[in-house]
Amino acid sequence: MKILVAVKRVVDYNVKVRVKSDNTGVDIANVKMSMNPFDEIAVEEAVRLKEAGVATEVVVVSAGVAQCQETLRTALAIGADRAILVETDADLQPLAVAKILKALSDKEQAQIIILGKQAIDDDSNQTGQMLASLLDIPQATFASKLVVADGKATVTREVDGGLETIALHLPAVITTDLRLNEPRYVTLPNIMKAKKKPLDIVKPEELGVDIAPRLKTIKVEEPPKRSAGVMVADVAALVDKLKNEAKVI
């Protein structure tokens, strides 16, 4: 069984992002970049399935600029077998990424496709669902537990009301939630081994994929700063302010 895992290069979650002075986007110049945390969980889960003997090969995919190779090498160091970079300088939106992943899935014939439930830069939470629709295969989003056996995947999902367990016939798309696993620490020997693992580079046009953007960002701006809090003398004063100033009751 082959598992395809999508990973994205994003601004590191420890970095405080800043909006560009012209309000066209987020400033990523000289900013630390890393693998999207949800995608790191996806890679870890795929590697665990291989270690358990469920999968025979784990292929990681990223789409974006040449520097995405660093992110793919990290995934290879975690334990993936080979990597594919769909190199482009275009601003990729969820639908474009889903089309790229569909083309690669058709080519690789993967039985399971695992993605992070969302990327921490745009928080779209759309690519996995779009991919499942394009491939016309089952999907399980927000996975907190995954068991694969007998050609089926049993997935425990985190939903608003608690947990939901569903069974899927393979092939299927699965998106990971935070509690699925805790990614392993990448050791130096594995980083060195990852440098020798195969990493193929292709262009979107080679896959026959249209990545033209469907959405246009008009303006990006920081949220307004919160005003200072006010101390009140008693409950009556609090109720009065909530009613007459905040107008929330």
Side-chain angles (χ1 to χ4, degrees), residues 106-132:
D106 289 340
K107 180 180 178 181
E108 296 289 338
Q109 292 297 298
Q111 289 295 99
I112 301 177
I113 306 164
I114 309 181
L115 307 85
K117 71 171 185 178
Q118 65 194 79
I120 62 172
D121 53 359
D122 57 17
D123 280 327
S124 290
N125 182 18
Q126 295 176 342
T127 305
Q129 292 89 327
M130 289 178 170
L131 175 60

PDB file of all heavy atoms in Angstrom, residues 106-132:
ATOM      1  N   ASP A 106      -3.401  10.252  -9.169  1.00  0.00           N
ATOM      2  CA  ASP A 106      -3.700   9.410 -10.332  1.00  0.00           C
ATOM      3  C   ASP A 106      -2.437   8.722 -10.844  1.00  0.00           C
ATOM      4  O   ASP A 106      -2.468   7.553 -11.246  1.00  0.00           O
ATOM      5  CB  ASP A 106      -4.313  10.259 -11.449  1.00  0.00           C
ATOM      6  CG  ASP A 106      -5.725  10.725 -11.124  1.00  0.00           C
ATOM      7  OD1 ASP A 106      -6.366  10.111 -10.246  1.00  0.00           O
ATOM      8  OD2 ASP A 106      -6.174  11.713 -11.733  1.00  0.00           O
ATOM      9  N   LYS A 107      -1.335   9.454 -10.791  1.00  0.00           N
ATOM     10  CA  LYS A 107      -0.060   8.906 -11.272  1.00  0.00           C
ATOM     11  C   LYS A 107       0.516   7.878 -10.302  1.00  0.00           C
ATOM     12  O   LYS A 107       1.000   6.818 -10.726  1.00  0.00           O
ATOM     13  CB  LYS A 107       0.936  10.047 -11.473  1.00  0.00           C
ATOM     14  CG  LYS A 107       2.304   9.608 -11.973  1.00  0.00           C
ATOM     15  CD  LYS A 107       3.218  10.804 -12.137  1.00  0.00           C
ATOM     16  CE  LYS A 107       4.614  10.359 -12.604  1.00  0.00           C
ATOM     17  NZ  LYS A 107       5.525  11.522 -12.738  1.00  0.00           N
ATOM     18  N   GLU A 108       0.472   8.177  -9.017  1.00  0.00           N
ATOM     19  CA  GLU A 108       1.090   7.309  -8.010  1.00  0.00           C
ATOM     20  C   GLU A 108       0.190   6.156  -7.592  1.00  0.00           C
ATOM     21  O   GLU A 108       0.666   5.172  -7.027  1.00  0.00           O
ATOM     22  CB  GLU A 108       1.460   8.142  -6.775  1.00  0.00           C
ATOM     23  CG  GLU A 108       2.512   9.202  -7.020  1.00  0.00           C
ATOM     24  CD  GLU A 108       3.889   8.605  -7.240  1.00  0.00           C
ATOM     25  OE1 GLU A 108       4.116   7.456  -6.809  1.00  0.00           O
ATOM     26  OE2 GLU A 108       4.730   9.279  -7.846  1.00  0.00           O
ATOM     27  N   GLN A 109      -1.125   6.284  -7.798  1.00  0.00           N
ATOM     28  CA  GLN A 109      -2.089   5.259  -7.391  1.00  0.00           C
ATOM     29  C   GLN A 109      -1.998   4.965  -5.889  1.00  0.00           C
ATOM     30  O   GLN A 109      -1.942   3.809  -5.455  1.00  0.00           O
ATOM     31  CB  GLN A 109      -1.877   3.974  -8.194  1.00  0.00           C
ATOM     32  CG  GLN A 109      -2.232   4.101  -9.672  1.00  0.00           C
ATOM     33  CD  GLN A 109      -3.718   4.399  -9.890  1.00  0.00           C
ATOM     34  OE1 GLN A 109      -4.579   3.604  -9.516  1.00  0.00           O
ATOM     35  NE2 GLN A 109      -4.020   5.536 -10.487  1.00  0.00           N
ATOM     36  N   ALA A 110      -1.973   6.031  -5.101  1.00  0.00           N
ATOM     37  CA  ALA A 110      -1.903   5.885  -3.651  1.00  0.00           C
ATOM     38  C   ALA A 110      -3.246   5.414  -3.103  1.00  0.00           C
ATOM     39  O   ALA A 110      -4.306   5.832  -3.579  1.00  0.00           O
ATOM     40  CB  ALA A 110      -1.509   7.211  -3.015  1.00  0.00           C
ATOM     41  N   GLN A 111      -3.190   4.569  -2.080  1.00  0.00           N
ATOM     42  CA  GLN A 111      -4.415   4.068  -1.456  1.00  0.00           C
ATOM     43  C   GLN A 111      -4.925   5.000  -0.357  1.00  0.00           C
ATOM     44  O   GLN A 111      -6.114   5.037  -0.072  1.00  0.00           O
ATOM     45  CB  GLN A 111      -4.168   2.676  -0.862  1.00  0.00           C
ATOM     46  CG  GLN A 111      -3.999   1.590  -1.910  1.00  0.00           C
ATOM     47  CD  GLN A 111      -5.266   1.382  -2.718  1.00  0.00           C
ATOM     48  OE1 GLN A 111      -5.393   1.890  -3.827  1.00  0.00           O
ATOM     49  NE2 GLN A 111      -6.218   0.669  -2.162  1.00  0.00           N
ATOM     50  N   ILE A 112      -3.994   5.711   0.272  1.00  0.00           N
ATOM     51  CA  ILE A 112      -4.379   6.675   1.302  1.00  0.00           C
ATOM     52  C   ILE A 112      -3.668   7.990   1.012  1.00  0.00           C
ATOM     53  O   ILE A 112      -2.466   8.001   0.741  1.00  0.00           O
ATOM     54  CB  ILE A 112      -3.992   6.193   2.719  1.00  0.00           C
ATOM     55  CG1 ILE A 112      -4.661   4.854   3.036  1.00  0.00           C
ATOM     56  CG2 ILE A 112      -4.397   7.229   3.765  1.00  0.00           C
ATOM     57  CD1 ILE A 112      -4.277   4.294   4.385  1.00  0.00           C
ATOM     58  N   ILE A 113      -4.416   9.083   1.076  1.00  0.00           N
ATOM     59  CA  ILE A 113      -3.838  10.415   0.920  1.00  0.00           C
ATOM     60  C   ILE A 113      -4.100  11.162   2.219  1.00  0.00           C
ATOM     61  O   ILE A 113      -5.252  11.320   2.632  1.00  0.00           O
ATOM     62  CB  ILE A 113      -4.467  11.174  -0.263  1.00  0.00           C
ATOM     63  CG1 ILE A 113      -4.378  10.329  -1.533  1.00  0.00           C
ATOM     64  CG2 ILE A 113      -3.768  12.512  -0.473  1.00  0.00           C
ATOM     65  CD1 ILE A 113      -5.277  10.785  -2.644  1.00  0.00           C
ATOM     66  N   ILE A 114      -3.027  11.583   2.880  1.00  0.00           N
ATOM     67  CA  ILE A 114      -3.151  12.242   4.177  1.00  0.00           C
ATOM     68  C   ILE A 114      -2.684  13.689   4.066  1.00  0.00           C
ATOM     69  O   ILE A 114      -1.616  13.967   3.512  1.00  0.00           O
ATOM     70  CB  ILE A 114      -2.331  11.519   5.261  1.00  0.00           C
ATOM     71  CG1 ILE A 114      -2.650  10.017   5.283  1.00  0.00           C
ATOM     72  CG2 ILE A 114      -2.616  12.119   6.637  1.00  0.00           C
ATOM     73  CD1 ILE A 114      -1.890   9.238   6.333  1.00  0.00           C
ATOM     74  N   LEU A 115      -3.487  14.586   4.586  1.00  0.00           N
ATOM     75  CA  LEU A 115      -3.162  16.016   4.619  1.00  0.00           C
ATOM     76  C   LEU A 115      -3.437  16.547   6.018  1.00  0.00           C
ATOM     77  O   LEU A 115      -4.257  15.994   6.757  1.00  0.00           O
ATOM     78  CB  LEU A 115      -4.013  16.820   3.628  1.00  0.00           C
ATOM     79  CG  LEU A 115      -4.095  16.430   2.167  1.00  0.00           C
ATOM     80  CD1 LEU A 115      -5.156  15.365   1.946  1.00  0.00           C
ATOM     81  CD2 LEU A 115      -4.429  17.644   1.319  1.00  0.00           C
ATOM     82  N   GLY A 116      -2.775  17.638   6.373  1.00  0.00           N
ATOM     83  CA  GLY A 116      -3.173  18.363   7.567  1.00  0.00           C
ATOM     84  C   GLY A 116      -4.548  18.960   7.336  1.00  0.00           C
ATOM     85  O   GLY A 116      -4.909  19.296   6.202  1.00  0.00           O
ATOM     86  N   LYS A 117      -5.341  19.095   8.402  1.00  0.00           N
ATOM     87  CA  LYS A 117      -6.714  19.589   8.215  1.00  0.00           C
ATOM     88  C   LYS A 117      -6.732  21.021   7.690  1.00  0.00           C
ATOM     89  O   LYS A 117      -7.677  21.431   7.025  1.00  0.00           O
ATOM     90  CB  LYS A 117      -7.511  19.491   9.510  1.00  0.00           C
ATOM     91  CG  LYS A 117      -7.111  20.477  10.597  1.00  0.00           C
ATOM     92  CD  LYS A 117      -8.099  20.462  11.754  1.00  0.00           C
ATOM     93  CE  LYS A 117      -7.757  21.522  12.781  1.00  0.00           C
ATOM     94  NZ  LYS A 117      -8.732  21.564  13.891  1.00  0.00           N
ATOM     95  N   GLN A 118      -5.661  21.791   7.987  1.00  0.00           N
ATOM     96  CA  GLN A 118      -5.574  23.164   7.507  1.00  0.00           C
ATOM     97  C   GLN A 118      -4.128  23.631   7.624  1.00  0.00           C
ATOM     98  O   GLN A 118      -3.326  23.023   8.325  1.00  0.00           O
ATOM     99  CB  GLN A 118      -6.477  24.089   8.316  1.00  0.00           C
ATOM    100  CG  GLN A 118      -6.075  24.230   9.779  1.00  0.00           C
ATOM    101  CD  GLN A 118      -7.162  24.854  10.620  1.00  0.00           C
ATOM    102  OE1 GLN A 118      -8.116  24.175  11.008  1.00  0.00           O
ATOM    103  NE2 GLN A 118      -7.023  26.128  10.913  1.00  0.00           N
ATOM    104  N   ALA A 119      -3.803  24.696   6.917  1.00  0.00           N
ATOM    105  CA  ALA A 119      -2.487  25.317   7.039  1.00  0.00           C
ATOM    106  C   ALA A 119      -2.609  26.520   7.954  1.00  0.00           C
ATOM    107  O   ALA A 119      -3.620  27.223   7.947  1.00  0.00           O
ATOM    108  CB  ALA A 119      -1.967  25.748   5.665  1.00  0.00           C
ATOM    109  N   ILE A 120      -1.577  26.767   8.766  1.00  0.00           N
ATOM    110  CA  ILE A 120      -1.674  27.835   9.758  1.00  0.00           C
ATOM    111  C   ILE A 120      -1.472  29.213   9.158  1.00  0.00           C
ATOM    112  O   ILE A 120      -1.590  30.211   9.869  1.00  0.00           O
ATOM    113  CB  ILE A 120      -0.676  27.616  10.909  1.00  0.00           C
ATOM    114  CG1 ILE A 120       0.773  27.647  10.396  1.00  0.00           C
ATOM    115  CG2 ILE A 120      -0.974  26.302  11.635  1.00  0.00           C
ATOM    116  CD1 ILE A 120       1.806  27.629  11.503  1.00  0.00           C
ATOM    117  N   ASP A 121      -1.184  29.299   7.856  1.00  0.00           N
ATOM    118  CA  ASP A 121      -1.038  30.629   7.257  1.00  0.00           C
ATOM    119  C   ASP A 121      -2.368  31.171   6.729  1.00  0.00           C
ATOM    120  O   ASP A 121      -2.739  32.299   7.000  1.00  0.00           O
ATOM    121  CB  ASP A 121       0.037  30.632   6.163  1.00  0.00           C
ATOM    122  CG  ASP A 121      -0.185  29.564   5.104  1.00  0.00           C
ATOM    123  OD1 ASP A 121      -1.170  28.796   5.214  1.00  0.00           O
ATOM    124  OD2 ASP A 121       0.642  29.486   4.169  1.00  0.00           O
ATOM    125  N   ASP A 122      -3.114  30.374   5.977  1.00  0.00           N
ATOM    126  CA  ASP A 122      -4.391  30.873   5.449  1.00  0.00           C
ATOM    127  C   ASP A 122      -5.616  30.258   6.145  1.00  0.00           C
ATOM    128  O   ASP A 122      -6.735  30.745   5.982  1.00  0.00           O
ATOM    129  CB  ASP A 122      -4.487  30.634   3.939  1.00  0.00           C
ATOM    130  CG  ASP A 122      -4.333  29.170   3.554  1.00  0.00           C
ATOM    131  OD1 ASP A 122      -4.477  28.302   4.444  1.00  0.00           O
ATOM    132  OD2 ASP A 122      -4.063  28.901   2.369  1.00  0.00           O
ATOM    133  N   ASP A 123      -5.403  29.172   6.915  1.00  0.00           N
ATOM    134  CA  ASP A 123      -6.497  28.526   7.660  1.00  0.00           C
ATOM    135  C   ASP A 123      -7.697  28.188   6.776  1.00  0.00           C
ATOM    136  O   ASP A 123      -8.842  28.257   7.225  1.00  0.00           O
ATOM    137  CB  ASP A 123      -6.958  29.410   8.828  1.00  0.00           C
ATOM    138  CG  ASP A 123      -6.037  29.304  10.034  1.00  0.00           C
ATOM    139  OD1 ASP A 123      -5.472  28.217  10.253  1.00  0.00           O
ATOM    140  OD2 ASP A 123      -5.875  30.310  10.746  1.00  0.00           O
ATOM    141  N   SER A 124      -7.441  27.808   5.540  1.00  0.00           N
ATOM    142  CA  SER A 124      -8.555  27.582   4.610  1.00  0.00           C
ATOM    143  C   SER A 124      -9.368  26.334   4.949  1.00  0.00           C
ATOM    144  O   SER A 124     -10.593  26.338   4.864  1.00  0.00           O
ATOM    145  CB  SER A 124      -8.033  27.488   3.172  1.00  0.00           C
ATOM    146  OG  SER A 124      -7.576  28.738   2.729  1.00  0.00           O
ATOM    147  N   ASN A 125      -8.683  25.239   5.323  1.00  0.00           N
ATOM    148  CA  ASN A 125      -9.391  23.982   5.612  1.00  0.00           C
ATOM    149  C   ASN A 125     -10.284  23.583   4.429  1.00  0.00           C
ATOM    150  O   ASN A 125     -11.477  23.320   4.581  1.00  0.00           O
ATOM    151  CB  ASN A 125     -10.218  24.128   6.898  1.00  0.00           C
ATOM    152  CG  ASN A 125     -10.933  22.841   7.290  1.00  0.00           C
ATOM    153  OD1 ASN A 125     -10.573  21.769   6.816  1.00  0.00           O
ATOM    154  ND2 ASN A 125     -11.946  22.954   8.123  1.00  0.00           N
ATOM    155  N   GLN A 126      -9.690  23.553   3.229  1.00  0.00           N
ATOM    156  CA  GLN A 126     -10.469  23.248   2.022  1.00  0.00           C
ATOM    157  C   GLN A 126      -9.824  22.191   1.139  1.00  0.00           C
ATOM    158  O   GLN A 126     -10.528  21.457   0.438  1.00  0.00           O
ATOM    159  CB  GLN A 126     -10.649  24.526   1.187  1.00  0.00           C
ATOM    160  CG  GLN A 126     -11.468  25.609   1.844  1.00  0.00           C
ATOM    161  CD  GLN A 126     -11.518  26.879   1.013  1.00  0.00           C
ATOM    162  OE1 GLN A 126     -10.704  27.092   0.124  1.00  0.00           O
ATOM    163  NE2 GLN A 126     -12.471  27.738   1.304  1.00  0.00           N
ATOM    164  N   THR A 127      -8.502  22.102   1.153  1.00  0.00           N
ATOM    165  CA  THR A 127      -7.800  21.281   0.158  1.00  0.00           C
ATOM    166  C   THR A 127      -8.187  19.811   0.241  1.00  0.00           C
ATOM    167  O   THR A 127      -8.456  19.177  -0.784  1.00  0.00           O
ATOM    168  CB  THR A 127      -6.272  21.436   0.317  1.00  0.00           C
ATOM    169  OG1 THR A 127      -5.939  22.817   0.252  1.00  0.00           O
ATOM    170  CG2 THR A 127      -5.549  20.691  -0.786  1.00  0.00           C
ATOM    171  N   GLY A 128      -8.222  19.241   1.431  1.00  0.00           N
ATOM    172  CA  GLY A 128      -8.571  17.826   1.563  1.00  0.00           C
ATOM    173  C   GLY A 128      -9.950  17.512   1.033  1.00  0.00           C
ATOM    174  O   GLY A 128     -10.154  16.529   0.310  1.00  0.00           O
ATOM    175  N   GLN A 129     -10.912  18.367   1.377  1.00  0.00           N
ATOM    176  CA  GLN A 129     -12.285  18.142   0.925  1.00  0.00           C
ATOM    177  C   GLN A 129     -12.397  18.279  -0.592  1.00  0.00           C
ATOM    178  O   GLN A 129     -13.090  17.501  -1.249  1.00  0.00           O
ATOM    179  CB  GLN A 129     -13.218  19.142   1.616  1.00  0.00           C
ATOM    180  CG  GLN A 129     -13.364  18.923   3.119  1.00  0.00           C
ATOM    181  CD  GLN A 129     -12.323  19.669   3.934  1.00  0.00           C
ATOM    182  OE1 GLN A 129     -11.185  19.856   3.508  1.00  0.00           O
ATOM    183  NE2 GLN A 129     -12.689  20.105   5.133  1.00  0.00           N
ATOM    184  N   MET A 130     -11.725  19.287  -1.152  1.00  0.00           N
ATOM    185  CA  MET A 130     -11.741  19.470  -2.606  1.00  0.00           C
ATOM    186  C   MET A 130     -11.095  18.280  -3.314  1.00  0.00           C
ATOM    187  O   MET A 130     -11.581  17.817  -4.349  1.00  0.00           O
ATOM    188  CB  MET A 130     -11.015  20.759  -2.975  1.00  0.00           C
ATOM    189  CG  MET A 130     -11.755  22.032  -2.609  1.00  0.00           C
ATOM    190  SD  MET A 130     -10.789  23.502  -3.028  1.00  0.00           S
ATOM    191  CE  MET A 130     -11.998  24.791  -2.768  1.00  0.00           C
ATOM    192  N   LEU A 131      -9.991  17.788  -2.746  1.00  0.00           N
ATOM    193  CA  LEU A 131      -9.289  16.657  -3.356  1.00  0.00           C
ATOM    194  C   LEU A 131     -10.165  15.415  -3.383  1.00  0.00           C
ATOM    195  O   LEU A 131     -10.244  14.717  -4.401  1.00  0.00           O
ATOM    196  CB  LEU A 131      -7.994  16.383  -2.592  1.00  0.00           C
ATOM    197  CG  LEU A 131      -7.197  15.151  -3.018  1.00  0.00           C
ATOM    198  CD1 LEU A 131      -6.778  15.266  -4.474  1.00  0.00           C
ATOM    199  CD2 LEU A 131      -5.986  14.961  -2.125  1.00  0.00           C
ATOM    200  N   ALA A 132     -10.839  15.135  -2.271  1.00  0.00           N
ATOM    201  CA  ALA A 132     -11.724  13.969  -2.227  1.00  0.00           C
ATOM    202  C   ALA A 132     -12.831  14.077  -3.260  1.00  0.00           C
ATOM    203  O   ALA A 132     -13.206  13.093  -3.905  1.00  0.00           O
ATOM    204  CB  ALA A 132     -12.318  13.820  -0.825  1.00  0.00           C
TER     205      ALA A 132
END
